[in-house]
Amino acid sequence: MTAWVDRVLKEFPVDLARLWIVADPDDVLLDEQVLSGLRERGFEVLPFEDSIAFRAEYEERYRAAWDQGEPPSAP
């Protein structure tokens, strides 16, 4: 990976918290190398483009599973 990708990824330590909210106005986290590195660390990226669609996916995939003590469902 390139130096800038490594620099971005070092800000995401594994197992710190199960939910992160990140402001990314330049879509850096959507770069394929960054996405790949995040997935290797166990992260998933759920872009916030529409509040209703985001909330529906969050509730269905993450919150319901977490409330039952299970991991989130696959995308």
Side-chain angles (χ1 to χ4, degrees), residues 2 29 31 41 46 55 59:
T2 63
L29 299 180
D31 177 86
R41 294 169 183 236
L46 180 59
R55 180 66 183 257
E59 292 290 340

Side-chain angles (χ1 to χ4, degrees), residues 19-66:
L19 175 66
W20 291 48
I21 298 174
V22 178
D24 183 22
D26 298 320
D27 293 334
V28 172
L29 299 180
L30 298 179
D31 177 86
E32 286 302 318
Q33 291 181 352
V34 175
L35 273 174
S36 176
L38 288 171
R39 288 181 183 131
E40 288 173 6
R41 294 169 183 236
F43 288 95
E44 293 180 43
V45 175
L46 180 59
F48 186 92
E49 297 167 348
D50 174 287
S51 62
I52 295 171
F54 177 88
R55 180 66 183 257
E57 186 168 357
Y58 167 78
E59 292 290 340
E60 183 179 317
R61 286 185 49 208
Y62 297 93
R63 175 112 184 247
W66 290 338

Side-chain angles (χ1 to χ4, degrees), residues 3-32:
W4 76 269
V5 171
D6 290 337
R7 185 174 177 139
V8 170
L9 292 176
K10 79 175 186 171
E11 301 298 326
F12 293 89
V14 177
D15 295 331
L16 184 61
R18 67 180 180 186
L19 175 66
W20 291 48
I21 298 174
V22 178
D24 183 22
D26 298 320
D27 293 334
V28 172
L29 299 180
L30 298 179
D31 177 86
E32 286 302 318

